[in-house]
Amino acid sequence: MSVSTVPLGNRVDANLKRAFDATAEELGLSPTSALTVFMKRFVEEGGFPFAVRKRMPTEAEYAAEMDARYRAMRNGSEQTHDLVEA
C-alpha cells in the first residue's frame, strides 16, 4: 500500500533548526525522518512522549530574582510590581 505524504510548513528559530538538523544527522537521520519519528510517538502516546512541565526555579534562583526586583523597586526603577498588593 502506498503512503501519501503532505508538506508540513512551520516556522522555527534558525538556531533551533540548525541544532535540530545537526542532532538528527549525528543520529544518522534526516531532519524529516527525525520529525516523523517524533510525530508517530506523539500520536501513539496521545501527547508528548516526554514530560512537559514548567521549569520551577530553585530556592536560590527565586530568592535572587526577588532580591533584584526589590532593589529595582526600591531604586525607583519599577513603578508597578506584584511584590506588594495594590
Side-chain angles (χ1 to χ4, degrees):
M1 174 159 66
S2 176
V3 176
S4 66
T5 62
V6 296
L8 178 66
N10 57 359
R11 300 185 75 63
V12 297
D13 177 272
N15 292 327
L16 176 60
K17 173 75 165 86
R18 278 190 287 277
F20 179 81
D21 291 351
T23 303
E25 186 176 312
E26 289 172 11
L27 293 171
L29 299 170
S30 70
T32 298
S33 294
L35 192 53
T36 299
V37 169
F38 170 75
M39 292 174 73
K40 286 181 176 183
R41 287 289 308 275
F42 187 88
V43 171
E44 288 171 6
E45 299 282 334
F48 290 100
F50 46 81
V52 178
R53 295 185 182 92
K54 182 173 109 177
R55 184 184 178 287
M56 297 300 292
T58 65
E59 186 175 338
E61 291 169 332
Y62 183 78
E65 179 187 345
M66 291 299 106
D67 287 344
R69 292 175 70 188
Y70 174 73
R71 282 191 301 279
M73 179 185 70
R74 189 181 62 210
N75 295 331
S77 301
E78 291 188 17
Q79 296 301 315
T80 60
H81 51 82
D82 60 3
L83 297 177
V84 179
E85 290 184 22

